[in-house]
Amino acid sequence: MFIKNYDFPYVFHLAKEFTIGQTIYINGIIDNNSEKEQTFTVNLIGGSTIMDFKRGAVPLHLSFDLNNNKTTYATLQYGKWGQKQETSVPFKLGKPFDIRIRAVYNKFEIYFNGKLFNKFKYSLLLPLEIIEYVTVDGDVKVTEMRVGGRVFHTPFQANFPGGSLNVGDSIIIYGSTTGNTFQVKLLDHKGKPALSLNPTFDKKLLAQHGRNGTAALRLEDEDGSTTFGSDKEFFVDLRNFKEGIFVFINRQYIMTYPHKGDASIDYAGIVIEKDVDVHAFEVCVHQR
């Protein structure tokens, strides 16, 4: 949740200990005022609600200088800067930005606008569990900050709350790929696939197999590259409506899979398998 009375800088308090497998999501819009310096920072902080050189520690500091096209990655402890790295800035003035910071073993995987931009090793002297706050300061407007995910082992299988995926419910999957294909299967109450989605990255296709037949759709980003890849974090959203399962990938509508039977009881569980690293999984239950 946001700490009240902190309109700026934005301060997000982690309700629980930040652990390996979790991701911090930050979305917003960069200010397009040419009279400003056009910089902003993101800090993962322990021991203080603000970045303070006299107390607290910063296991990860991100500084974005759009004027000079420079992103700085650093740590801060006891008032002294630790290791530093620099890359270019992937964001544009006046445009939305998407930052995802995922904790894996001994490093942060840092995604900008869905693409893996850097792997920054965190100090053993600044372990993940000391992180209490996430702050954003500078020429930006933050629209969303949240934490999600854990370590998922594949194949991953789960049953839906209440025994079925009801009309209005959604399935949210964040992940990255480790090979050429993976599968997302919705299972019926007999444990058989009612719907199977099979992205193949080398051919840029999404194959859809179900009780209503098979179809293949071409998937690619605006630059012509494949939608999926080891350097990208994908976002799959499956929504159960009366008309069918609506498939969204990276917030873009892809297709609708019509139901074979009753939409409210047709799907009992899900399996995610093959060449995929699942970052987050959630079933969003429609409020009735």
Side-chain angles (χ1 to χ4, degrees):
M1 62 179 179
F2 284 104
I3 296 180
K4 294 182 179 179
N5 302 323
Y6 273 89
D7 293 329
F8 199 77
Y10 297 92
V11 180
F12 182 77
H13 182 213
L14 302 185
K16 297 181 180 179
E17 183 177 289
F18 190 53
T19 60
I20 288 174
Q22 289 191 308
T23 301
I24 295 170
Y25 299 87
I26 305 170
N27 294 89
I29 299 175
I30 298 175
D31 197 339
N32 198 20
N33 189 339
S34 60
E35 296 181 357
K36 294 186 177 182
E37 294 183 357
Q38 297 167 338
T39 63
F40 71 99
T41 62
V42 175
N43 295 291
L44 277 55
I45 301 177
S48 175
T49 58
I50 60 174
M51 190 168 167
D52 190 332
F53 281 83
K54 295 182 179 180
R55 61 190 177 95
V58 183
L60 179 63
H61 164 80
L62 301 178
S63 175
F64 302 91
D65 183 349
L66 280 79
N67 291 332
N68 297 301
N69 191 28
K70 182 173 69 175
T71 301
T72 301
Y73 312 75
T75 61
L76 179 68
Q77 186 179 25
Y78 304 127
K80 296 182 180 180
W81 291 106
Q83 60 170 321
K84 286 188 178 182
Q85 295 179 11
E86 292 183 355
T87 66
S88 60
V89 177
F91 307 130
K92 295 182 179 180
L93 295 176
K95 300 294 184 180
F97 66 84
D98 180 335
I99 298 173
R100 304 172 193 176
I101 303 169
R102 185 176 185 237
V104 295
Y105 297 99
N106 79 3
K107 59 180 173 288
F108 295 106
E109 291 182 345
I110 303 169
Y111 295 80
F112 297 146
N113 291 342
K115 295 184 178 181
L116 180 61
F117 222 76
N118 195 14
K119 295 181 180 180
F120 186 78
K121 290 187 177 181
Y122 50 78
S123 170
L124 295 178
L125 300 176
L126 299 173
L128 295 177
E129 54 265 28
I130 75 166
I131 298 172
E132 300 175 88
Y133 301 95
V134 181
T135 69
V136 182
D137 193 2
D139 302 321
V140 294
K141 177 183 178 181
V142 174
T143 56
E144 181 182 13
M145 295 175 71
R146 62 187 179 88
V147 178
R150 60 178 175 84
V151 175
F152 293 86
H153 299 285
T154 52
F156 168 76
Q157 183 167 350
N159 296 322
F160 295 131
S164 296
L165 186 71
N166 293 296
V167 174
D169 293 351
S170 298
I171 303 166
I172 304 297
I173 306 167
Y174 285 93
S176 59
T177 60
T178 59
N180 288 326
T181 187
F182 71 95
Q183 288 186 325
V184 177
K185 298 178 181 178
L186 299 187
L187 306 179
D188 62 19
H189 287 271
K190 295 181 180 180
K192 296 182 179 180
L195 171 63
S196 178
L197 301 176
N198 304 269
T200 56
F201 319 129
D202 51 348
K203 297 181 180 179
K204 303 179 184 178
L205 294 177
L206 172 68
Q208 166 250 309
H209 308 282
R211 292 173 298 198
N212 291 331
T214 300
L217 297 173
R218 188 167 182 81
L219 290 178
E220 60 184 25
D221 290 341
E222 293 180 356
D223 60 2
S225 63
T226 178
T227 301
F228 300 95
S230 59
D231 62 340
K232 300 179 181 180
E233 185 179 59
F234 64 77
F235 170 59
V236 173
D237 181 0
L238 306 177
R239 305 179 190 179
N240 188 16
F241 293 126
K242 291 182 179 179
E243 298 81 2
I245 298 291
F246 284 45
V247 179
F248 295 81
I249 297 178
N250 296 340
R251 294 182 171 82
Q252 298 294 319
Y253 170 76
I254 301 299
M255 60 172 289
T256 298
Y257 171 75
H259 302 297
K260 182 70 173 180
D262 189 333
S264 62
I265 61 173
D266 229 15
Y267 312 102
I270 187 171
V271 173
I272 306 171
E273 59 185 357
K274 294 191 176 180
D275 304 328
V276 62
D277 182 7
V278 179
H279 299 175
F281 169 83
E282 184 178 358
V283 178
C284 300
V285 178
H286 177 66
Q287 297 296 321
R288 297 170 181 84

